[in-house]
Amino acid sequence: MTGEYLTEGTFYTFFGFTAMGVLGCALLLSSKGKNKALKVMFIMLLVFAFVPFFGYAISGFSYVNNRWLFAFSCFVSYVFTKSMSQAGEIDRKQAERAFAGIAVYGVLCYISQTDRTVAAMSGIALALAGAFLVLRRTAGTGDKCDTSENAAIDKRDTSESAAIDKCFRNCFIALVVLSVAVNSVAAFNDIDGMLPRHIPTNSRMNNPTKAIEELGDDGVYRFEAERITDALNMSWHNGTMSNAFYFSVLNGNVSKFFTDYNVSNTTEYRFESMDARAILDLASAVKYALVRDGKEHRLPYSYNEKAGESVIGDVYGVYRSESALPLGYTYDGIISEADYEAMDAPTKQDALLQGVYLEGYDGGEVPTADIEMSHVKPDYTTSSEGAVDIYEDHFFVREKGATVTFSFKGVPDSETYLRVTGFDYEDVNPVSLMDTSAMSLYDRLQTAMQSRNFVPEDKGAFFIDGNEHSDYYTINNSRQPAYSGKHDYMYNTYYSESGIDSVSIRFSGIGTYSFDNIEIVCQPMGEALKAAKERGKDVLRDVQIGTNEITGHITSGKTEVMCLAVPYSKGFKAYVDGREAKIYKANTMYMGLVLTPGEHDVRFTYATPFLGTGAIVTLVSLIAFAVIIFWDKRRQKRNLQTGNEE
């Protein structure tokens, strides 16, 4: 049963219980003077479900998510069971109130265009059928359905009463089964456009990422997969390490890194790649790139040595970079906090392989890095094609396929990016763009109805055309459930040896695409590879990854910082030559250790933060629960003894 109409489409909230759950809740709320604690709990859970802050808090302040609603469903199941066990005590007025409440709910769902689905209307019909059965059960018994032994003898014989109870029970069992069937059909068949979203097991195990495993490379490294949607988390199943993942409980440092460097992902729990940006890939220990045949332009720079191939589905090639850095590499210079925070995304990227920023490092042992910027932001001119109006801070697109082109003098041997900050999208009602003056009365009425039923899109869609290639992107606005407040993006048009001289945005939807600033960024690759070569002089060798442990050996030629390209977490501890060493957060996401000259054994261990605290809380809760049960049993025993004495 859906309740999305209450949130006007801003945050999707679907309750995971059947129509009989609605009936149980209606009976609960329609009762008078009973079950007060259950009513309070129901109202609290309902408020939690429809106030976004609670979904944000219950998800660990990660993003708005109402997956905790499985607990709500368990509560509703209990309410329904309790209501049915008390069916004999339901009076006619309560049954009528419950029936009326469900009918009103059904009308609200019908009014809502989003909720007017076959599944929702079928559920309302089943809930009304259940309410009608309860109402019929109260018929002929006055204001109350009295099932006491004396009433049964007066009105019908015992066998007839038992037959009615059995019929009532069987009817509700049938309704419950039918309700579950309706929900199942809605979730796993093409009703109302709802198709299954799961990926079959064979797709998880047999996908193009298997080609990485088949290389037989026993080292520790990452790979980048070019926009292979069903490759999300597939590396986990195949025992390989990708920089793409789909995970709700996200390490916030990963999210901040992608935000700081304006990577084009739009959600905070799904990352498909580093946008094939060579500097980011090299700094993240990406050794291989996997791309679909014919999409080789999406290869990051320097990933041009073909190492393997996959023919699962489409044909994919696996390419290796000779400049790839291992999981642990070193810096001989520090970027201060003030300098790092003052950098924009292109500058941070340019500096990423030249110096390391260690959060909380007070300096002294490692000198300041000598950073030389090589990226260029050329001036550009703007032109358009199709129905699009260009303003200083937004584009107003009046027809799909309209294009805005930025022309500039490119830089050879560079990756070129279109960087848009403050990027946002607001849909426009297409009726507002129509000229209704010449329409007939009928057409105007039809247009007015279309306008009233207009539901604005929660994301903008467009293509970035550049370097003779095109890529599809979206941006979320505040109506999108996955909206995370992200508005700054750098769209990679990939490497060009000769340089490119134009980039276009081709819009897939009408509306207002607003922005704070747009700029072209050209990042020469020659200097980046030189910096990568420097980082690869002293590296972590013989790396072994075990259960909650990473070990290796490194030889430092001087006092320097070893960066481990594993996301920083407070659960990690580091030991250098058997002694605990301080771990710094390096370059927003990774971990850094300050090493003195010489040969070192390095060991990282991991334990889930607050695991001990959680165990203590659980133990205390179990003890408190046991005490409550013991006290309640004693209270019941005393009440029974008192009753017997009376």
Side-chain angles (χ1 to χ4, degrees):
M1 302 300 296
T2 175
E4 187 183 349
Y5 67 89
L6 288 176
T7 57
E8 298 180 348
T10 301
F11 299 96
Y12 295 113
T13 299
F14 293 94
F15 297 128
F17 48 83
T18 69
M20 294 301 97
V22 176
L23 174 61
C25 294
L27 291 172
L28 171 69
L29 296 177
S30 62
S31 64
K32 288 186 176 181
K34 296 187 296 184
N35 303 317
K36 292 182 179 179
L38 290 180
K39 291 179 182 177
V40 171
M41 179 64 72
F42 176 79
I43 293 172
M44 285 179 57
L45 291 174
L46 201 62
V47 171
F48 286 178
F50 291 113
V51 176
F53 171 78
F54 293 105
Y56 178 62
I58 295 173
S59 297
F61 300 96
S62 175
Y63 63 100
V64 178
N65 186 306
N66 276 340
R67 290 182 182 173
W68 64 272
L69 285 178
F70 74 89
F72 199 164
S73 299
C74 290
F75 172 79
V76 169
S77 299
Y78 172 75
V79 168
F80 173 73
T81 304
K82 189 173 181 66
S83 297
M84 291 300 99
S85 68
Q86 297 176 346
E89 302 174 16
I90 298 174
D91 60 45
R92 186 172 183 80
K93 289 183 179 180
Q94 180 184 351
E96 290 173 345
R97 288 193 296 269
F99 188 92
I102 295 172
V104 170
Y105 176 73
V107 170
L108 290 174
C109 286
Y110 184 81
I111 293 174
S112 167
Q113 184 180 18
T114 305
D115 294 317
R116 194 190 308 157
T117 64
V118 173
M121 293 299 101
S122 299
I124 294 297
L126 289 170
L128 286 173
F132 179 77
L133 281 176
V134 175
L135 191 60
R136 288 295 302 163
R137 183 177 170 82
T138 64
T141 62
D143 289 337
K144 189 167 184 176
C145 183
D146 187 354
T147 58
S148 65
E149 184 177 354
N150 290 334
I153 293 174
D154 291 340
K155 296 180 180 179
R156 62 182 65 87
D157 59 33
T158 305
S159 60
E160 184 181 354
S161 177
I164 292 175
D165 288 342
K166 183 177 181 180
C167 179
F168 181 77
R169 183 172 61 252
N170 289 341
C171 286
F172 264 100
I173 291 174
L175 282 177
V176 169
V177 172
L178 190 56
S179 297
V180 172
V182 168
N183 276 21
S184 299
V185 169
F188 298 105
N189 284 279
D190 190 15
I191 291 182
D192 302 315
M194 291 186 289
L195 292 169
R197 298 180 181 179
H198 68 282
I199 300 174
T201 302
N202 62 337
S203 295
R204 293 199 298 265
M205 302 305 294
N206 298 308
N207 61 80
T209 64
K210 287 284 288 185
I212 303 295
E213 180 184 3
E214 292 168 359
L215 293 175
D217 189 333
D218 295 329
V220 177
Y221 54 84
R222 288 194 179 87
F223 70 91
E224 172 162 308
E226 167 266 323
R227 298 191 172 201
I228 304 173
T229 302
D230 61 356
L232 293 169
N233 293 346
M234 298 304 103
S235 59
W236 294 3
H237 293 274
N238 295 333
T240 53
M241 293 173 60
S242 169
N243 60 3
F245 63 92
Y246 186 103
F247 192 44
S248 296
V249 188
L250 174 70
N251 183 325
N253 298 311
V254 178
S255 175
K256 191 171 189 311
F257 179 88
F258 277 67
T259 299
D260 282 357
Y261 288 83
N262 294 173
V263 180
S264 67
N265 72 287
T266 56
T267 57
E268 296 301 299
Y269 56 86
R270 173 175 175 160
F271 298 99
E272 294 189 1
S273 71
M274 296 281 191
D275 284 348
R277 286 151 64 174
I279 294 177
L280 300 188
D281 279 329
L282 292 172
S284 302
V286 172
K287 186 176 181 180
Y288 297 100
L290 180 67
V291 297
R292 189 181 287 107
D293 190 32
K295 300 292 184 180
E296 288 79 9
H297 68 279
R298 288 177 174 169
L299 282 169
Y301 179 73
S302 82
Y303 291 78
N304 48 21
E305 180 188 347
K306 192 167 185 178
E309 190 173 81
S310 167
V311 290
I312 298 176
D314 294 335
V315 177
Y316 293 83
V318 181
Y319 295 83
R320 178 192 298 115
S321 173
E322 294 182 353
S323 302
L325 292 171
L327 202 65
Y329 50 89
T330 53
Y331 290 89
D332 55 9
I334 295 289
I335 300 174
S336 69
E337 181 176 0
D339 289 342
Y340 189 79
E341 293 299 326
M343 294 176 177
D344 61 6
T347 307
K348 280 189 171 96
Q349 177 180 275
D350 206 347
L352 185 59
L353 293 175
Q354 299 183 58
V356 61
Y357 162 58
L358 298 181
E359 185 176 305
Y361 181 70
D362 55 7
E365 299 167 287
V366 184
T368 301
D370 184 15
I371 306 296
E372 296 183 4
M373 294 293 106
S374 60
H375 70 278
V376 177
K377 297 180 180 180
D379 294 332
Y380 60 82
T381 59
T382 307
S383 60
S384 65
E385 183 177 342
V388 54
D389 300 324
I390 300 177
Y391 297 93
E392 184 177 348
D393 61 354
H394 70 277
F395 303 126
F396 183 63
V397 181
R398 290 178 282 111
E399 72 173 4
K400 297 179 180 180
T403 301
V404 174
T405 300
F406 308 90
S407 301
F408 52 92
K409 184 178 180 180
V411 178
D413 189 38
S414 296
E415 287 181 352
T416 301
Y417 320 106
L418 174 68
R419 182 171 183 250
V420 188
T421 59
F423 205 13
D424 205 354
Y425 171 72
E426 187 65 36
D427 198 2
V428 62
N429 191 331
V431 174
S432 66
L433 304 178
M434 297 180 183
D435 181 7
T436 60
S437 59
M439 289 184 179
S440 66
L441 177 60
Y442 175 80
D443 288 339
R444 285 201 298 272
L445 290 174
Q446 289 292 101
T447 302
M449 182 177 295
Q450 179 184 348
S451 179
R452 284 195 300 271
N453 292 331
F454 170 70
V455 178
E457 292 288 340
D458 55 13
K459 63 176 65 176
F462 52 92
F463 290 86
I464 300 293
D465 300 329
N467 204 4
E468 300 180 356
H469 302 287
S470 183
D471 284 304
Y472 177 76
Y473 296 95
T474 61
I475 53 171
N476 295 335
N477 60 29
S478 58
R479 285 186 297 274
Q480 230 291 327
Y483 173 73
S484 59
K486 185 173 181 179
H487 294 282
D488 299 340
Y489 305 93
M490 266 172 59
Y491 300 105
N492 188 11
T493 62
Y494 311 104
Y495 171 79
S496 173
E497 184 176 358
S498 59
I500 64 174
D501 55 13
S502 69
V503 175
S504 299
I505 304 179
R506 179 161 43 94
F507 301 99
S508 297
I510 64 173
T512 300
Y513 294 79
S514 59
F515 51 86
D516 293 335
N517 186 50
I518 294 180
E519 58 189 12
I520 301 296
V521 180
C522 301
Q523 176 61 65
M525 289 291 101
E527 295 301 318
L529 290 192
K530 289 181 183 178
K533 186 176 181 180
E534 288 295 316
R535 302 290 69 80
K537 286 183 177 179
D538 297 335
V539 299
L540 192 65
R541 310 181 310 274
D542 304 323
V543 178
Q544 299 292 325
I545 297 182
T547 303
N548 298 326
E549 183 180 68
I550 302 173
T551 60
H553 310 285
I554 188 170
T555 302
S556 298
K558 52 187 172 182
T559 300
E560 55 191 353
V561 176
M562 188 197 81
C563 177
L564 186 73
V566 172
Y568 174 89
S569 169
K570 292 181 179 179
F572 276 103
K573 288 186 177 181
Y575 300 88
V576 178
D577 300 328
R579 297 182 178 180
E580 187 171 352
K582 183 175 182 178
I583 301 177
Y584 294 94
K585 189 188 300 182
N587 293 332
T588 302
M589 177 166 61
Y590 294 132
M591 293 188 284
L593 292 177
V594 177
L595 300 177
T596 57
E599 180 78 20
H600 301 290
D601 292 326
V602 177
R603 177 171 170 256
F604 289 84
T605 62
Y606 181 80
T608 303
F610 306 109
L611 185 63
T613 303
I616 293 173
V617 171
T618 300
L619 180 61
V620 171
S621 299
L622 289 174
I623 293 173
F625 180 71
V627 170
I628 292 172
I629 294 297
F630 176 74
W631 177 82
D632 188 61
K633 290 289 185 182
R634 290 196 61 182
R635 181 180 60 80
Q636 292 180 15
K637 186 176 181 180
R638 285 198 305 270
N639 291 341
L640 183 61
Q641 291 174 348
T642 302
N644 291 336
E645 291 174 358
E646 292 177 353

